[in-house]
Amino acid sequence: MRVVIAEDAVLLREGLAGLLERFGHTVAASVGDADSLVTAVKEHQPDIVVVDVRMPPGFTDEGLRAALALRTAHPGLAVLVLSQYVEQTYAAELLGSGRGTGIGYLLKDRIGDVGEFVDALVRIAEGGTVIDPEVVRQLLGGRRDPLRRLTPRELEVLALIAEGRTNASIARALFVSDAAVAKHIASIFAKLDLPPAADGHRRVLAVLTYLQAEPR
């Protein structure tokens, strides 16, 4: 897979590049600002972009805004936001772009396993969705809950779906059977009025419902 990295911290940028190359992936470019990211994507047409939120010149949300613009200009481009921060202004919009496929948002300080990180990157490049539960928690802060019809267990299941977990992984995390997980997920879809016609995307739609609740 071809990757473009956008990270202003040189040591982290080079470390990510070396890590991904060690796992057999091609780093087409590694850049330190949002404008260079846009140029690199146009030039190299990568499978996925790894981008930090805060980048030069303002160190506010330049990386996130660039990622959102790239998703609009290149609908098939997968994006992983890898940051120390949850930037709420554009995060939900980015996570909802491209029907919520091929997108991820992970917090640097919460990544504990290199192999799992690379696996998550591959899943995102293949169209999956991987969202750190802390990102979900912060995006939901201060919002009216559109999920009040869900039981506490169903909310647990939905939070794990937001992490990009499979049914089997959710079952292991909650110490329940695969059948019980499937039953909870079917109930979640029904309570959120997600149409059967969108079956291939209902997991993503459920997560987006989780993220895009209206403010109180």
Side-chain angles (χ1 to χ4, degrees):
M1 133 182 115
R2 290 171 57 79
V3 186
V4 166
I5 299 170
E7 164 62 60
D8 64 284
V10 176
L11 290 179
L12 179 56
R13 185 170 71 234
E14 295 305 312
L16 280 171
L19 170 67
L20 294 176
E21 288 173 347
R22 192 167 78 241
F23 276 80
H25 303 296
T26 300
V27 177
S30 57
V31 300
D33 62 80
D35 289 342
S36 298
L37 167 63
V38 173
T39 299
V41 168
K42 183 177 180 181
E43 178 181 352
H44 298 287
Q45 299 182 347
D47 301 303
I48 188 168
V49 166
V50 179
V51 59
D52 193 3
V53 170
R54 300 181 180 182
M55 302 185 71
F59 293 97
T60 55
D61 55 11
E62 289 85 353
L64 201 57
R65 286 189 283 113
L68 186 57
L70 287 169
R71 290 275 283 183
T72 301
H74 308 275
L77 178 65
V79 171
L80 169 59
V81 177
L82 181 62
S83 181
Q84 290 180 305
Y85 312 96
V86 179
E87 172 50 60
Q88 299 191 20
T89 306
Y90 294 100
E93 186 177 355
L94 177 65
L95 293 172
S97 64
R99 299 188 68 187
T101 61
I103 193 72
Y105 200 133
L106 298 177
L107 299 178
K108 295 173 182 176
D109 293 343
R110 289 168 54 87
I111 295 172
D113 185 274
V114 168
E116 289 181 4
F117 166 71
V118 176
D119 287 345
L121 193 70
V122 172
R123 293 204 308 275
I124 294 164
E126 292 174 346
T129 303
V130 180
I131 307 171
D132 190 298
E134 178 62 17
V135 174
V136 174
R137 188 191 69 78
Q138 291 194 37
L139 289 176
L140 282 172
R143 295 168 181 250
R144 184 173 68 232
D145 188 359
L147 312 171
R148 55 188 174 272
R149 288 178 287 174
L150 302 188
T151 67
R153 175 63 87 182
E154 288 165 351
L155 287 170
E156 285 184 289
V157 170
L158 185 50
L160 292 169
I161 291 173
E163 295 181 43
R165 296 202 187 201
T166 64
N167 285 17
S169 176
I170 293 171
R172 289 194 298 271
L174 298 180
F175 301 101
V176 299
S177 68
D178 289 3
V181 171
K183 183 177 179 180
H184 286 311
I185 291 175
S187 179
I188 290 168
F189 292 163
K191 290 179 179 180
L192 296 182
D193 298 320
L194 298 177
D199 188 64
H201 297 287
R202 284 197 293 179
R203 294 174 82 94
V204 173
L205 291 173
V207 171
L208 295 181
T209 299
Y210 205 52
L211 296 175
Q212 294 176 340
E214 296 178 6
R216 294 179 187 274

